[in-house]
Amino acid sequence: MKTKIIKISPDHPDAQAIAHAAIVIKNGGLVAFPTETVYGLGANALNDQAVRNIFLAKERPADNPLIVHIADLADLSILARSISPLGQKLIRTFWPGPLTLVLRKKRIVPDAVTAGGETIAIRMPDHPVALALIAASGVPIAAPSANSSGKPSATSAQDVFQDLDGRIDLILDAGRTQIGMESTVVDVSGKQPILLRQGGITKEQLEEAMGTPFNAPGNSTGIARSPGMKHRHYAPHAKVVIVHYETPKKMADKMQEMILHFRRQGKRVGILAMLRKTQKRPSADVTLFAGATPAHIGRNLFRCLRLMDARGADIILVEGIPEHELGAVIMDRLRKAAETGRGK
Ligand code: TXA
Ligand code: MG
């Protein structure tokens, strides 16, 4: 299959390009499209075979369910059963936006979408291209992040092309995505809300809206594990090692020690610097600066991990950052990359 790329304005999407992409969706094809978080790999959520093709293209394990994207609140009642008052409040507060809600599903939803489960994850993305595509397709769009399974999510059309060229029909290229990390996933299908994945809406924002903290049984962070979390995640080819920050001097010394250690093993070492660019740094084979604020780091994080691979790093030494608000999301992604990455 030849993968076509169409450039499209992120703010004022061209109606003809959208119409073309919508026809691909209606015909059961696969379209990668931008959202405010990361690129999604979309198919008609009500077409079982089209949804199965998403799993094939990404080589995604079939037991990891997908998020369904809607552009109109009216579509909720097609897909989901009754929504709790808390669910409704979160929808009013955060949609459109980077919050995915897990709800009880209706029978019309194909098993492939929900991995056979009784619940469905739904979100309304905050991106003109995504919303226009869903509206023009006339169906909800199931879309995981548009990367090969296990790799860092795609934050540009080039990332999508690198992973999925020849496996999907079309990529809508609207430049780099704004947030750079995926949506937050909250299960509101039961009595208590459960935070399954941290993301673009922070835990602090959610707790403020809910008026209560999350409470995951047997766990002090309040964060449970979503079904997909047992799989390899966000991992570049290189091995990710997190170096915890104490003082600038201690960090620099520790980094230098680790560089020498890995060099003795014949490895090419990369440093991913966070927050403080100007600080004196030990030399490494590749040095990238992720950004001066958590928002900037979030936007650049997956791109930096992919760039490290492109520049041939075997090891990525990443500076840890304080874990609140977006900092917690960044550290969550890095920890998963460090835990589940294969290294070389
Ligand atoms: O920002 C995002 O969420 C992006 C854009 C494209 O919307 N999508 C995305 O999808 O990150 P994906 O497939 O990479 O991650 C979906 C997460 C997985 O952790 C999956 O296990 C969880 O949502 N999930 C999906 N359906 C679920 C369900 N019914 N119950 C619990 N978790 C679910
Ligand atoms: Mg993903």
Side-chain angles (χ1 to χ4, degrees):
M1 171 189 309
K2 176 118 181 72
T3 299
K4 194 170 160 185
I5 304 180
I6 300 181
K7 279 216 187 311
I8 189 162
S9 155
D11 306 312
H12 305 285
D14 174 61
Q16 248 180 318
I18 291 292
H20 178 83
I23 289 172
V24 177
I25 295 283
K26 283 186 214 169
N27 289 339
L30 303 185
V31 176
F33 61 96
T35 78
E36 78 279 34
T37 57
V38 299
Y39 275 73
L41 176 58
N44 175 355
L46 303 178
N47 178 333
D48 182 70
Q49 189 54 53
V51 172
R52 284 179 200 282
N53 289 341
I54 292 177
F55 285 83
L56 292 176
K58 285 194 55 151
E59 297 182 23
R60 181 180 176 103
D63 63 354
N64 191 5
L66 304 182
I67 297 171
V68 175
H69 298 69
I70 60 172
D72 189 330
L73 283 180
D75 288 345
L76 262 180
S77 56
I78 300 172
L79 302 166
R81 289 177 197 284
S82 64
I83 300 170
S84 66
L86 176 68
Q88 289 177 24
K89 173 153 200 204
L90 294 179
I91 287 171
R92 278 198 306 276
T93 312
F94 296 111
W95 282 11
L99 176 67
T100 295
L101 293 178
V102 173
L103 303 160
R104 293 197 305 129
K105 73 156 197 177
K106 281 195 175 161
R107 203 140 357 124
I108 190 175
V109 182
D111 277 346
V113 171
T114 62
E118 284 308 307
T119 58
I120 178 174
I122 304 181
R123 87 175 185 103
M124 187 185 288
D126 186 13
H127 194 293
V129 173
L131 293 171
L133 176 64
I134 300 163
S137 302
V139 289
I141 294 185
S145 50
N147 49 279
S148 309
S149 190
K151 279 279 166 68
S153 296
T155 56
S156 70
Q158 290 69 41
D159 294 345
V160 180
F161 189 76
Q162 186 183 40
D163 282 16
L164 300 174
D165 178 28
R167 293 168 169 256
I168 65 178
D169 299 285
L170 177 64
I171 304 171
L172 292 177
D173 176 1
R176 291 182 56 201
T177 59
Q178 191 59 41
I179 297 175
M181 299 185 294
E182 306 80 356
S183 65
T184 302
V185 182
V186 178
D187 186 338
V188 289
S189 69
K191 282 208 175 70
Q192 294 282 333
I194 305 172
L195 180 54
L196 292 176
R197 179 176 76 181
Q198 307 189 76
I201 300 291
T202 65
K203 186 171 171 235
E204 289 85 349
Q205 282 175 293
L206 284 165
E207 289 179 338
E208 195 189 323
M210 299 190 313
T212 56
F214 283 103
N215 172 16
N219 150 355
S220 63
T221 64
I223 301 157
R225 287 172 80 81
S226 76
M229 285 310 165
K230 61 181 177 289
H231 300 294
R232 195 172 105 85
H233 261 93
Y234 316 119
H237 202 75
K239 181 180 165 68
V240 173
V241 179
I242 299 169
V243 183
H244 289 283
Y245 180 82
E246 292 163 72
T247 63
K249 167 93 175 62
K250 275 194 188 160
M251 171 76 93
D253 291 348
K254 213 172 350 172
M255 283 276 183
Q256 188 57 29
E257 213 174 279
M258 293 178 86
I259 289 173
L260 293 176
H261 167 81
F262 286 117
R263 282 240 180 93
R264 275 196 294 272
Q265 299 179 354
K267 308 279 192 198
R268 248 176 93 78
V269 181
I271 290 186
L272 184 53
M274 309 277 223
L275 298 175
R276 292 156 297 264
K277 188 186 195 172
T278 49
Q279 180 201 331
K280 188 168 153 272
R281 294 194 178 286
S283 62
D285 297 295
V286 189
T287 303
L288 297 176
F289 176 57
T293 64
H296 284 108
I297 294 171
R299 184 160 194 240
N300 292 327
L301 185 68
F302 290 140
R303 191 171 78 118
C304 286
L305 295 181
R306 283 173 176 265
L307 237 121
M308 285 286 184
D309 277 350
R311 303 222 182 138
D314 301 305
I315 307 281
I316 309 170
L317 301 179
V318 187
E319 297 181 358
I321 62 168
E323 300 206 27
H324 50 79
E325 300 184 346
L326 277 183
V329 189
I330 291 161
M331 292 307 289
D332 167 76
R333 300 303 189 267
L334 284 171
R335 223 174 274 120
K336 276 168 192 141
E339 277 167 15
T340 62
R342 59 191 154 197
K344 262 198 199 171

